[in-house]
């Protein structure tokens, strides 16, 4: 992503979202809560859709930007091995990830997530959906390319299982149109060139040790 694109996401879009969250939580029971807790609580209250969307998208963008690096970071062998063990090969994982990302119609996010047992999977959320509120039961934890709108229709099956996001890619048009136009394939393929694999490694360690890195 170019400097102007990053500047827009961080200094304009993110500021707008945080301001909206502050406005929507002012004077409410959510006001003193962490962004994670705001998202988790709002996801279970159908009257808090606006708050959920703004808080979730703010968290997603922050997570996405923290995944990126200006200086190239080599893929760690331990990360490659762990991913390859669950996707047959690392190249198969990248192909699965790309296929999921390019299948999104409209705006959304593609994620590598880890569940409570250490299982890795690729999934999509749509619009501002967060992975840690997107799957409401253990029966859904192997789904790939999960539709957030479909998950919302299963609201009665909560509580959610805890999915820890490891890698997140924005498939919002504002993330790729300025630099790549409609060439989403190139946008997705070049994403790997700017992933900070040290950050990915830390997230995997934190998820495996049971630490809640989403707060």
């Amino acid at each position: 992503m170019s400097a102007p694109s990053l500047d827009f996401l961080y200094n304009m879009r993110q500021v707008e979202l945080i301001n909206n969250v502050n406005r929507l939580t002012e004077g409410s029971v959510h006001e003193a809560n962490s962004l994670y807790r705001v998202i988790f609580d709002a996801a279970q209250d159908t009257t808090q859709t606006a708050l959920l969307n703004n808080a979730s998208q703010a968290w997603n963008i922050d997570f996405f930007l923290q995944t990126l690096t200006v200086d190239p970071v080599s893929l760690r062998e331990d990360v490659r091995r762990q991913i390859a063990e669950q996707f047959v090969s690392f190249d198969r994982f990248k192909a699965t990830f790309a296929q999921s990302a390019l299948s999104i119609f409209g705006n959304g996010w593609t994620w590598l997530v880890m569940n409570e047992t250490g299982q890795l999977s690729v999934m999509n959320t749509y619009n501002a959906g967060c992975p840690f509120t997107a799957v409401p039961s253990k029966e859904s934890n192997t789904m790939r390319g999960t539709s957030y709108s479909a998950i919302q229709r299963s609201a009665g099956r909560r509580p959610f299982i805890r999915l820890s996001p490891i890698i997140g890619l924005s498939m919002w048009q504002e993330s790729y149109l300025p630099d790549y136009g409609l060439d989403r394939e190139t946008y997705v393929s070049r994403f790997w060139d700017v992933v900070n694999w040290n950050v990915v490694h830390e997230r995997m360690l934190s998820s495996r040790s049971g630490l809640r890195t989403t707060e």
Side-chain angles (χ1 to χ4, degrees), residues 1 5 9 64 68 101-102 108-109 168-194:
M1 297 180 68
S5 295
L9 283 179
F64 172 57
L68 308 180
L102 296 173
W109 296 82
L169 173 62
S170 173
M171 292 305 293
W172 275 65
Q173 294 181 356
E174 63 190 25
S175 296
Y176 60 82
L177 277 179
D179 298 326
Y180 297 95
L182 296 177
D183 187 4
R184 299 195 305 163
E185 291 85 352
T186 300
Y187 168 73
V188 172
S189 66
R190 290 185 179 172
F191 170 64
W192 305 113
D193 297 335
V194 293

PDB file of all heavy atoms in Angstrom, residues 1 5 9 64 68 101-102 108-109 168-194:
ATOM      1  N   MET A   1       0.846  -1.194   0.000  1.00  0.00           N
ATOM      2  CA  MET A   1       0.000   0.000   0.000  1.00  0.00           C
ATOM      3  C   MET A   1       0.880   1.243   0.000  1.00  0.00           C
ATOM      4  O   MET A   1       1.918   1.276   0.650  1.00  0.00           O
ATOM      5  CB  MET A   1      -0.924   0.005   1.213  1.00  0.00           C
ATOM      6  CG  MET A   1      -1.919  -1.135   1.249  1.00  0.00           C
ATOM      7  SD  MET A   1      -2.975  -1.082   2.713  1.00  0.00           S
ATOM      8  CE  MET A   1      -3.942   0.392   2.351  1.00  0.00           C
ATOM      9  N   SER A   5      -2.422   5.907   0.793  1.00  0.00           N
ATOM     10  CA  SER A   5      -3.461   4.948   1.189  1.00  0.00           C
ATOM     11  C   SER A   5      -3.396   4.656   2.678  1.00  0.00           C
ATOM     12  O   SER A   5      -4.428   4.601   3.367  1.00  0.00           O
ATOM     13  CB  SER A   5      -3.313   3.647   0.392  1.00  0.00           C
ATOM     14  OG  SER A   5      -3.555   3.865  -0.974  1.00  0.00           O
ATOM     15  N   LEU A   9      -6.208   5.507   5.716  1.00  0.00           N
ATOM     16  CA  LEU A   9      -6.749   4.531   6.655  1.00  0.00           C
ATOM     17  C   LEU A   9      -6.503   4.940   8.105  1.00  0.00           C
ATOM     18  O   LEU A   9      -7.393   4.835   8.951  1.00  0.00           O
ATOM     19  CB  LEU A   9      -6.136   3.152   6.402  1.00  0.00           C
ATOM     20  CG  LEU A   9      -6.645   2.360   5.213  1.00  0.00           C
ATOM     21  CD1 LEU A   9      -5.914   1.029   5.095  1.00  0.00           C
ATOM     22  CD2 LEU A   9      -8.146   2.118   5.316  1.00  0.00           C
ATOM     23  N   PHE A  64      -5.081  -4.873  11.111  1.00  0.00           N
ATOM     24  CA  PHE A  64      -4.523  -4.944   9.754  1.00  0.00           C
ATOM     25  C   PHE A  64      -3.246  -4.122   9.649  1.00  0.00           C
ATOM     26  O   PHE A  64      -2.215  -4.602   9.153  1.00  0.00           O
ATOM     27  CB  PHE A  64      -5.575  -4.453   8.762  1.00  0.00           C
ATOM     28  CG  PHE A  64      -5.093  -4.279   7.355  1.00  0.00           C
ATOM     29  CD1 PHE A  64      -4.511  -5.325   6.648  1.00  0.00           C
ATOM     30  CD2 PHE A  64      -5.239  -3.059   6.712  1.00  0.00           C
ATOM     31  CE1 PHE A  64      -4.076  -5.167   5.336  1.00  0.00           C
ATOM     32  CE2 PHE A  64      -4.819  -2.875   5.402  1.00  0.00           C
ATOM     33  CZ  PHE A  64      -4.224  -3.936   4.714  1.00  0.00           C
ATOM     34  N   LEU A  68       1.289  -5.048   9.057  1.00  0.00           N
ATOM     35  CA  LEU A  68       2.138  -4.587   7.962  1.00  0.00           C
ATOM     36  C   LEU A  68       3.471  -4.050   8.463  1.00  0.00           C
ATOM     37  O   LEU A  68       3.599  -3.620   9.608  1.00  0.00           O
ATOM     38  CB  LEU A  68       1.420  -3.485   7.175  1.00  0.00           C
ATOM     39  CG  LEU A  68       0.007  -3.792   6.685  1.00  0.00           C
ATOM     40  CD1 LEU A  68      -0.558  -2.598   5.922  1.00  0.00           C
ATOM     41  CD2 LEU A  68      -0.005  -5.043   5.811  1.00  0.00           C
ATOM     42  N   ALA A 101     -10.205 -14.487  -0.139  1.00  0.00           N
ATOM     43  CA  ALA A 101     -10.217 -13.031  -0.263  1.00  0.00           C
ATOM     44  C   ALA A 101     -10.896 -12.593  -1.557  1.00  0.00           C
ATOM     45  O   ALA A 101     -11.708 -11.668  -1.567  1.00  0.00           O
ATOM     46  CB  ALA A 101      -8.787 -12.495  -0.200  1.00  0.00           C
ATOM     47  N   LEU A 102     -10.574 -13.257  -2.650  1.00  0.00           N
ATOM     48  CA  LEU A 102     -11.116 -12.862  -3.952  1.00  0.00           C
ATOM     49  C   LEU A 102     -12.572 -13.264  -4.125  1.00  0.00           C
ATOM     50  O   LEU A 102     -13.242 -12.796  -5.041  1.00  0.00           O
ATOM     51  CB  LEU A 102     -10.256 -13.454  -5.070  1.00  0.00           C
ATOM     52  CG  LEU A 102      -8.811 -12.941  -5.107  1.00  0.00           C
ATOM     53  CD1 LEU A 102      -8.001 -13.714  -6.145  1.00  0.00           C
ATOM     54  CD2 LEU A 102      -8.762 -11.444  -5.377  1.00  0.00           C
ATOM     55  N   GLY A 108     -15.146  -6.501   2.813  1.00  0.00           N
ATOM     56  CA  GLY A 108     -15.014  -7.504   3.853  1.00  0.00           C
ATOM     57  C   GLY A 108     -13.568  -7.705   4.257  1.00  0.00           C
ATOM     58  O   GLY A 108     -12.686  -6.919   3.905  1.00  0.00           O
ATOM     59  N   TRP A 109     -13.347  -8.787   4.978  1.00  0.00           N
ATOM     60  CA  TRP A 109     -12.028  -9.107   5.523  1.00  0.00           C
ATOM     61  C   TRP A 109     -11.759 -10.601   5.371  1.00  0.00           C
ATOM     62  O   TRP A 109     -12.683 -11.416   5.482  1.00  0.00           O
ATOM     63  CB  TRP A 109     -11.959  -8.744   7.006  1.00  0.00           C
ATOM     64  CG  TRP A 109     -12.099  -7.282   7.271  1.00  0.00           C
ATOM     65  CD1 TRP A 109     -13.268  -6.571   7.354  1.00  0.00           C
ATOM     66  CD2 TRP A 109     -11.040  -6.350   7.448  1.00  0.00           C
ATOM     67  NE1 TRP A 109     -12.998  -5.245   7.587  1.00  0.00           N
ATOM     68  CE2 TRP A 109     -11.635  -5.074   7.647  1.00  0.00           C
ATOM     69  CE3 TRP A 109      -9.652  -6.454   7.471  1.00  0.00           C
ATOM     70  CZ2 TRP A 109     -10.883  -3.928   7.866  1.00  0.00           C
ATOM     71  CZ3 TRP A 109      -8.897  -5.319   7.690  1.00  0.00           C
ATOM     72  CH2 TRP A 109      -9.514  -4.070   7.872  1.00  0.00           C
ATOM     73  N   GLY A 168      -4.874 -10.666   9.198  1.00  0.00           N
ATOM     74  CA  GLY A 168      -6.099 -10.083   8.650  1.00  0.00           C
ATOM     75  C   GLY A 168      -5.788  -9.223   7.438  1.00  0.00           C
ATOM     76  O   GLY A 168      -4.841  -8.438   7.460  1.00  0.00           O
ATOM     77  N   LEU A 169      -6.558  -9.397   6.389  1.00  0.00           N
ATOM     78  CA  LEU A 169      -6.390  -8.620   5.162  1.00  0.00           C
ATOM     79  C   LEU A 169      -7.674  -7.864   4.856  1.00  0.00           C
ATOM     80  O   LEU A 169      -8.742  -8.465   4.750  1.00  0.00           O
ATOM     81  CB  LEU A 169      -6.044  -9.534   3.986  1.00  0.00           C
ATOM     82  CG  LEU A 169      -5.995  -8.874   2.594  1.00  0.00           C
ATOM     83  CD1 LEU A 169      -4.918  -7.794   2.545  1.00  0.00           C
ATOM     84  CD2 LEU A 169      -5.779  -9.918   1.511  1.00  0.00           C
ATOM     85  N   SER A 170      -7.556  -6.557   4.704  1.00  0.00           N
ATOM     86  CA  SER A 170      -8.711  -5.746   4.344  1.00  0.00           C
ATOM     87  C   SER A 170      -9.041  -5.934   2.873  1.00  0.00           C
ATOM     88  O   SER A 170      -8.201  -5.717   2.003  1.00  0.00           O
ATOM     89  CB  SER A 170      -8.432  -4.260   4.604  1.00  0.00           C
ATOM     90  OG  SER A 170      -9.495  -3.461   4.109  1.00  0.00           O
ATOM     91  N   MET A 171     -10.278  -6.328   2.601  1.00  0.00           N
ATOM     92  CA  MET A 171     -10.775  -6.398   1.231  1.00  0.00           C
ATOM     93  C   MET A 171     -11.818  -5.312   1.000  1.00  0.00           C
ATOM     94  O   MET A 171     -12.675  -5.429   0.132  1.00  0.00           O
ATOM     95  CB  MET A 171     -11.340  -7.787   0.937  1.00  0.00           C
ATOM     96  CG  MET A 171     -10.284  -8.888   0.897  1.00  0.00           C
ATOM     97  SD  MET A 171      -8.930  -8.563  -0.275  1.00  0.00           S
ATOM     98  CE  MET A 171      -9.798  -8.642  -1.849  1.00  0.00           C
ATOM     99  N   TRP A 172     -11.704  -4.255   1.781  1.00  0.00           N
ATOM    100  CA  TRP A 172     -12.518  -3.067   1.528  1.00  0.00           C
ATOM    101  C   TRP A 172     -11.952  -2.345   0.317  1.00  0.00           C
ATOM    102  O   TRP A 172     -10.733  -2.241   0.151  1.00  0.00           O
ATOM    103  CB  TRP A 172     -12.506  -2.147   2.753  1.00  0.00           C
ATOM    104  CG  TRP A 172     -13.545  -2.539   3.772  1.00  0.00           C
ATOM    105  CD1 TRP A 172     -13.586  -3.690   4.492  1.00  0.00           C
ATOM    106  CD2 TRP A 172     -14.683  -1.765   4.161  1.00  0.00           C
ATOM    107  NE1 TRP A 172     -14.687  -3.697   5.315  1.00  0.00           N
ATOM    108  CE2 TRP A 172     -15.378  -2.524   5.137  1.00  0.00           C
ATOM    109  CE3 TRP A 172     -15.174  -0.520   3.790  1.00  0.00           C
ATOM    110  CZ2 TRP A 172     -16.548  -2.070   5.732  1.00  0.00           C
ATOM    111  CZ3 TRP A 172     -16.335  -0.057   4.384  1.00  0.00           C
ATOM    112  CH2 TRP A 172     -17.012  -0.833   5.350  1.00  0.00           C
ATOM    113  N   GLN A 173     -12.819  -1.813  -0.509  1.00  0.00           N
ATOM    114  CA  GLN A 173     -12.361  -1.155  -1.726  1.00  0.00           C
ATOM    115  C   GLN A 173     -11.428   0.007  -1.444  1.00  0.00           C
ATOM    116  O   GLN A 173     -10.512   0.280  -2.227  1.00  0.00           O
ATOM    117  CB  GLN A 173     -13.571  -0.692  -2.549  1.00  0.00           C
ATOM    118  CG  GLN A 173     -14.408  -1.833  -3.100  1.00  0.00           C
ATOM    119  CD  GLN A 173     -15.585  -1.353  -3.935  1.00  0.00           C
ATOM    120  OE1 GLN A 173     -15.828  -0.148  -4.040  1.00  0.00           O
ATOM    121  NE2 GLN A 173     -16.320  -2.278  -4.521  1.00  0.00           N
ATOM    122  N   GLU A 174     -11.618   0.677  -0.325  1.00  0.00           N
ATOM    123  CA  GLU A 174     -10.760   1.816   0.001  1.00  0.00           C
ATOM    124  C   GLU A 174      -9.317   1.393   0.264  1.00  0.00           C
ATOM    125  O   GLU A 174      -8.409   2.234   0.231  1.00  0.00           O
ATOM    126  CB  GLU A 174     -11.307   2.553   1.231  1.00  0.00           C
ATOM    127  CG  GLU A 174     -11.321   1.712   2.493  1.00  0.00           C
ATOM    128  CD  GLU A 174     -12.071   2.368   3.626  1.00  0.00           C
ATOM    129  OE1 GLU A 174     -12.960   3.204   3.372  1.00  0.00           O
ATOM    130  OE2 GLU A 174     -11.764   2.043   4.790  1.00  0.00           O
ATOM    131  N   SER A 175      -9.099   0.093   0.496  1.00  0.00           N
ATOM    132  CA  SER A 175      -7.740  -0.393   0.752  1.00  0.00           C
ATOM    133  C   SER A 175      -6.970  -0.717  -0.518  1.00  0.00           C
ATOM    134  O   SER A 175      -5.739  -0.648  -0.522  1.00  0.00           O
ATOM    135  CB  SER A 175      -7.792  -1.641   1.647  1.00  0.00           C
ATOM    136  OG  SER A 175      -8.322  -1.336   2.915  1.00  0.00           O
ATOM    137  N   TYR A 176      -7.679  -1.078  -1.591  1.00  0.00           N
ATOM    138  CA  TYR A 176      -6.954  -1.470  -2.793  1.00  0.00           C
ATOM    139  C   TYR A 176      -7.214  -0.601  -4.019  1.00  0.00           C
ATOM    140  O   TYR A 176      -6.358  -0.493  -4.900  1.00  0.00           O
ATOM    141  CB  TYR A 176      -7.235  -2.936  -3.145  1.00  0.00           C
ATOM    142  CG  TYR A 176      -8.673  -3.292  -3.414  1.00  0.00           C
ATOM    143  CD1 TYR A 176      -9.251  -3.058  -4.659  1.00  0.00           C
ATOM    144  CD2 TYR A 176      -9.455  -3.898  -2.441  1.00  0.00           C
ATOM    145  CE1 TYR A 176     -10.580  -3.398  -4.923  1.00  0.00           C
ATOM    146  CE2 TYR A 176     -10.774  -4.247  -2.682  1.00  0.00           C
ATOM    147  CZ  TYR A 176     -11.329  -3.988  -3.921  1.00  0.00           C
ATOM    148  OH  TYR A 176     -12.638  -4.318  -4.183  1.00  0.00           O
ATOM    149  N   LEU A 177      -8.358   0.046  -4.093  1.00  0.00           N
ATOM    150  CA  LEU A 177      -8.663   0.834  -5.293  1.00  0.00           C
ATOM    151  C   LEU A 177      -7.641   1.943  -5.580  1.00  0.00           C
ATOM    152  O   LEU A 177      -7.241   2.120  -6.739  1.00  0.00           O
ATOM    153  CB  LEU A 177     -10.061   1.434  -5.194  1.00  0.00           C
ATOM    154  CG  LEU A 177     -11.237   0.531  -5.593  1.00  0.00           C
ATOM    155  CD1 LEU A 177     -12.552   1.270  -5.412  1.00  0.00           C
ATOM    156  CD2 LEU A 177     -11.103   0.037  -7.026  1.00  0.00           C
ATOM    157  N   PRO A 178      -7.190   2.724  -4.573  1.00  0.00           N
ATOM    158  CA  PRO A 178      -6.257   3.806  -4.882  1.00  0.00           C
ATOM    159  C   PRO A 178      -4.957   3.345  -5.528  1.00  0.00           C
ATOM    160  O   PRO A 178      -4.388   4.046  -6.369  1.00  0.00           O
ATOM    161  CB  PRO A 178      -5.996   4.444  -3.508  1.00  0.00           C
ATOM    162  CG  PRO A 178      -7.202   4.104  -2.702  1.00  0.00           C
ATOM    163  CD  PRO A 178      -7.581   2.724  -3.153  1.00  0.00           C
ATOM    164  N   ASP A 179      -4.464   2.178  -5.144  1.00  0.00           N
ATOM    165  CA  ASP A 179      -3.168   1.697  -5.642  1.00  0.00           C
ATOM    166  C   ASP A 179      -3.279   0.653  -6.742  1.00  0.00           C
ATOM    167  O   ASP A 179      -2.403   0.572  -7.609  1.00  0.00           O
ATOM    168  CB  ASP A 179      -2.359   1.095  -4.486  1.00  0.00           C
ATOM    169  CG  ASP A 179      -2.040   2.112  -3.412  1.00  0.00           C
ATOM    170  OD1 ASP A 179      -1.842   3.295  -3.759  1.00  0.00           O
ATOM    171  OD2 ASP A 179      -1.993   1.736  -2.226  1.00  0.00           O
ATOM    172  N   TYR A 180      -4.338  -0.152  -6.720  1.00  0.00           N
ATOM    173  CA  TYR A 180      -4.428  -1.281  -7.636  1.00  0.00           C
ATOM    174  C   TYR A 180      -5.654  -1.242  -8.546  1.00  0.00           C
ATOM    175  O   TYR A 180      -5.821  -2.135  -9.383  1.00  0.00           O
ATOM    176  CB  TYR A 180      -4.434  -2.602  -6.836  1.00  0.00           C
ATOM    177  CG  TYR A 180      -3.165  -2.817  -6.057  1.00  0.00           C
ATOM    178  CD1 TYR A 180      -3.071  -2.445  -4.720  1.00  0.00           C
ATOM    179  CD2 TYR A 180      -2.037  -3.369  -6.657  1.00  0.00           C
ATOM    180  CE1 TYR A 180      -1.897  -2.633  -3.997  1.00  0.00           C
ATOM    181  CE2 TYR A 180      -0.863  -3.570  -5.947  1.00  0.00           C
ATOM    182  CZ  TYR A 180      -0.810  -3.195  -4.626  1.00  0.00           C
ATOM    183  OH  TYR A 180       0.364  -3.378  -3.926  1.00  0.00           O
ATOM    184  N   GLY A 181      -6.495  -0.254  -8.383  1.00  0.00           N
ATOM    185  CA  GLY A 181      -7.712  -0.237  -9.172  1.00  0.00           C
ATOM    186  C   GLY A 181      -8.546  -1.479  -8.875  1.00  0.00           C
ATOM    187  O   GLY A 181      -8.749  -1.837  -7.718  1.00  0.00           O
ATOM    188  N   LEU A 182      -9.000  -2.142  -9.925  1.00  0.00           N
ATOM    189  CA  LEU A 182      -9.804  -3.359  -9.753  1.00  0.00           C
ATOM    190  C   LEU A 182      -8.963  -4.626  -9.762  1.00  0.00           C
ATOM    191  O   LEU A 182      -9.502  -5.740  -9.745  1.00  0.00           O
ATOM    192  CB  LEU A 182     -10.861  -3.438 -10.856  1.00  0.00           C
ATOM    193  CG  LEU A 182     -11.905  -2.315 -10.834  1.00  0.00           C
ATOM    194  CD1 LEU A 182     -12.855  -2.444 -12.019  1.00  0.00           C
ATOM    195  CD2 LEU A 182     -12.685  -2.318  -9.517  1.00  0.00           C
ATOM    196  N   ASP A 183      -7.636  -4.481  -9.773  1.00  0.00           N
ATOM    197  CA  ASP A 183      -6.735  -5.638  -9.804  1.00  0.00           C
ATOM    198  C   ASP A 183      -6.539  -6.185  -8.389  1.00  0.00           C
ATOM    199  O   ASP A 183      -5.480  -6.029  -7.772  1.00  0.00           O
ATOM    200  CB  ASP A 183      -5.401  -5.244 -10.426  1.00  0.00           C
ATOM    201  CG  ASP A 183      -4.470  -6.448 -10.637  1.00  0.00           C
ATOM    202  OD1 ASP A 183      -4.912  -7.585 -10.367  1.00  0.00           O
ATOM    203  OD2 ASP A 183      -3.320  -6.231 -11.057  1.00  0.00           O
ATOM    204  N   ARG A 184      -7.559  -6.845  -7.888  1.00  0.00           N
ATOM    205  CA  ARG A 184      -7.495  -7.370  -6.530  1.00  0.00           C
ATOM    206  C   ARG A 184      -6.489  -8.502  -6.399  1.00  0.00           C
ATOM    207  O   ARG A 184      -5.910  -8.715  -5.331  1.00  0.00           O
ATOM    208  CB  ARG A 184      -8.873  -7.842  -6.078  1.00  0.00           C
ATOM    209  CG  ARG A 184      -9.927  -6.740  -6.062  1.00  0.00           C
ATOM    210  CD  ARG A 184     -11.157  -7.157  -5.284  1.00  0.00           C
ATOM    211  NE  ARG A 184     -11.717  -8.416  -5.784  1.00  0.00           N
ATOM    212  CZ  ARG A 184     -12.585  -9.173  -5.116  1.00  0.00           C
ATOM    213  NH1 ARG A 184     -12.973  -8.798  -3.914  1.00  0.00           N
ATOM    214  NH2 ARG A 184     -13.070 -10.276  -5.642  1.00  0.00           N
ATOM    215  N   GLU A 185      -6.270  -9.254  -7.492  1.00  0.00           N
ATOM    216  CA  GLU A 185      -5.322 -10.367  -7.442  1.00  0.00           C
ATOM    217  C   GLU A 185      -3.924  -9.885  -7.088  1.00  0.00           C
ATOM    218  O   GLU A 185      -3.237 -10.484  -6.252  1.00  0.00           O
ATOM    219  CB  GLU A 185      -5.296 -11.116  -8.779  1.00  0.00           C
ATOM    220  CG  GLU A 185      -6.562 -11.903  -9.091  1.00  0.00           C
ATOM    221  CD  GLU A 185      -7.638 -11.058  -9.751  1.00  0.00           C
ATOM    222  OE1 GLU A 185      -7.454  -9.807  -9.838  1.00  0.00           O
ATOM    223  OE2 GLU A 185      -8.659 -11.625 -10.174  1.00  0.00           O
ATOM    224  N   THR A 186      -3.493  -8.792  -7.710  1.00  0.00           N
ATOM    225  CA  THR A 186      -2.166  -8.256  -7.409  1.00  0.00           C
ATOM    226  C   THR A 186      -2.108  -7.710  -5.992  1.00  0.00           C
ATOM    227  O   THR A 186      -1.113  -7.887  -5.277  1.00  0.00           O
ATOM    228  CB  THR A 186      -1.790  -7.153  -8.420  1.00  0.00           C
ATOM    229  OG1 THR A 186      -1.780  -7.706  -9.732  1.00  0.00           O
ATOM    230  CG2 THR A 186      -0.415  -6.579  -8.112  1.00  0.00           C
ATOM    231  N   TYR A 187      -3.172  -7.054  -5.575  1.00  0.00           N
ATOM    232  CA  TYR A 187      -3.242  -6.533  -4.199  1.00  0.00           C
ATOM    233  C   TYR A 187      -3.053  -7.664  -3.194  1.00  0.00           C
ATOM    234  O   TYR A 187      -2.259  -7.548  -2.251  1.00  0.00           O
ATOM    235  CB  TYR A 187      -4.578  -5.838  -3.991  1.00  0.00           C
ATOM    236  CG  TYR A 187      -4.918  -5.511  -2.554  1.00  0.00           C
ATOM    237  CD1 TYR A 187      -4.263  -4.490  -1.872  1.00  0.00           C
ATOM    238  CD2 TYR A 187      -5.922  -6.226  -1.873  1.00  0.00           C
ATOM    239  CE1 TYR A 187      -4.594  -4.180  -0.553  1.00  0.00           C
ATOM    240  CE2 TYR A 187      -6.253  -5.917  -0.568  1.00  0.00           C
ATOM    241  CZ  TYR A 187      -5.582  -4.899   0.089  1.00  0.00           C
ATOM    242  OH  TYR A 187      -5.912  -4.609   1.402  1.00  0.00           O
ATOM    243  N   VAL A 188      -3.754  -8.766  -3.389  1.00  0.00           N
ATOM    244  CA  VAL A 188      -3.663  -9.889  -2.455  1.00  0.00           C
ATOM    245  C   VAL A 188      -2.280 -10.526  -2.514  1.00  0.00           C
ATOM    246  O   VAL A 188      -1.674 -10.836  -1.476  1.00  0.00           O
ATOM    247  CB  VAL A 188      -4.759 -10.935  -2.750  1.00  0.00           C
ATOM    248  CG1 VAL A 188      -4.548 -12.191  -1.907  1.00  0.00           C
ATOM    249  CG2 VAL A 188      -6.142 -10.345  -2.495  1.00  0.00           C
ATOM    250  N   SER A 189      -1.732 -10.723  -3.698  1.00  0.00           N
ATOM    251  CA  SER A 189      -0.433 -11.393  -3.821  1.00  0.00           C
ATOM    252  C   SER A 189       0.689 -10.555  -3.215  1.00  0.00           C
ATOM    253  O   SER A 189       1.633 -11.091  -2.624  1.00  0.00           O
ATOM    254  CB  SER A 189      -0.126 -11.709  -5.283  1.00  0.00           C
ATOM    255  OG  SER A 189       0.051 -10.528  -6.039  1.00  0.00           O
ATOM    256  N   ARG A 190       0.595  -9.238  -3.336  1.00  0.00           N
ATOM    257  CA  ARG A 190       1.638  -8.365  -2.791  1.00  0.00           C
ATOM    258  C   ARG A 190       1.497  -8.147  -1.290  1.00  0.00           C
ATOM    259  O   ARG A 190       2.429  -7.643  -0.645  1.00  0.00           O
ATOM    260  CB  ARG A 190       1.644  -7.034  -3.534  1.00  0.00           C
ATOM    261  CG  ARG A 190       2.148  -7.158  -4.964  1.00  0.00           C
ATOM    262  CD  ARG A 190       2.256  -5.823  -5.658  1.00  0.00           C
ATOM    263  NE  ARG A 190       2.772  -5.981  -7.015  1.00  0.00           N
ATOM    264  CZ  ARG A 190       2.835  -5.002  -7.917  1.00  0.00           C
ATOM    265  NH1 ARG A 190       2.417  -3.784  -7.595  1.00  0.00           N
ATOM    266  NH2 ARG A 190       3.319  -5.235  -9.114  1.00  0.00           N
ATOM    267  N   PHE A 191       0.369  -8.524  -0.749  1.00  0.00           N
ATOM    268  CA  PHE A 191       0.177  -8.426   0.701  1.00  0.00           C
ATOM    269  C   PHE A 191       1.268  -9.174   1.451  1.00  0.00           C
ATOM    270  O   PHE A 191       1.784  -8.705   2.467  1.00  0.00           O
ATOM    271  CB  PHE A 191      -1.211  -8.972   1.057  1.00  0.00           C
ATOM    272  CG  PHE A 191      -1.455  -9.161   2.532  1.00  0.00           C
ATOM    273  CD1 PHE A 191      -1.466  -8.083   3.395  1.00  0.00           C
ATOM    274  CD2 PHE A 191      -1.706 -10.433   3.041  1.00  0.00           C
ATOM    275  CE1 PHE A 191      -1.702  -8.263   4.750  1.00  0.00           C
ATOM    276  CE2 PHE A 191      -1.948 -10.615   4.393  1.00  0.00           C
ATOM    277  CZ  PHE A 191      -1.940  -9.533   5.252  1.00  0.00           C
ATOM    278  N   TRP A 192       1.659 -10.340   0.941  1.00  0.00           N
ATOM    279  CA  TRP A 192       2.657 -11.167   1.634  1.00  0.00           C
ATOM    280  C   TRP A 192       4.013 -10.491   1.700  1.00  0.00           C
ATOM    281  O   TRP A 192       4.824 -10.814   2.574  1.00  0.00           O
ATOM    282  CB  TRP A 192       2.758 -12.534   0.964  1.00  0.00           C
ATOM    283  CG  TRP A 192       1.432 -13.221   0.890  1.00  0.00           C
ATOM    284  CD1 TRP A 192       0.710 -13.512  -0.235  1.00  0.00           C
ATOM    285  CD2 TRP A 192       0.636 -13.679   1.994  1.00  0.00           C
ATOM    286  NE1 TRP A 192      -0.471 -14.118   0.097  1.00  0.00           N
ATOM    287  CE2 TRP A 192      -0.544 -14.242   1.462  1.00  0.00           C
ATOM    288  CE3 TRP A 192       0.817 -13.674   3.377  1.00  0.00           C
ATOM    289  CZ2 TRP A 192      -1.537 -14.776   2.253  1.00  0.00           C
ATOM    290  CZ3 TRP A 192      -0.173 -14.212   4.183  1.00  0.00           C
ATOM    291  CH2 TRP A 192      -1.343 -14.758   3.616  1.00  0.00           C
ATOM    292  N   ASP A 193       4.283  -9.560   0.810  1.00  0.00           N
ATOM    293  CA  ASP A 193       5.572  -8.867   0.803  1.00  0.00           C
ATOM    294  C   ASP A 193       5.711  -7.892   1.964  1.00  0.00           C
ATOM    295  O   ASP A 193       6.834  -7.489   2.304  1.00  0.00           O
ATOM    296  CB  ASP A 193       5.767  -8.092  -0.510  1.00  0.00           C
ATOM    297  CG  ASP A 193       5.808  -9.001  -1.728  1.00  0.00           C
ATOM    298  OD1 ASP A 193       6.167 -10.185  -1.575  1.00  0.00           O
ATOM    299  OD2 ASP A 193       5.465  -8.528  -2.829  1.00  0.00           O
ATOM    300  N   VAL A 194       4.589  -7.496   2.547  1.00  0.00           N
ATOM    301  CA  VAL A 194       4.638  -6.489   3.615  1.00  0.00           C
ATOM    302  C   VAL A 194       4.118  -7.023   4.948  1.00  0.00           C
ATOM    303  O   VAL A 194       3.910  -6.251   5.889  1.00  0.00           O
ATOM    304  CB  VAL A 194       3.855  -5.220   3.209  1.00  0.00           C
ATOM    305  CG1 VAL A 194       4.543  -4.517   2.056  1.00  0.00           C
ATOM    306  CG2 VAL A 194       2.407  -5.547   2.854  1.00  0.00           C
TER     307      VAL A 194
END
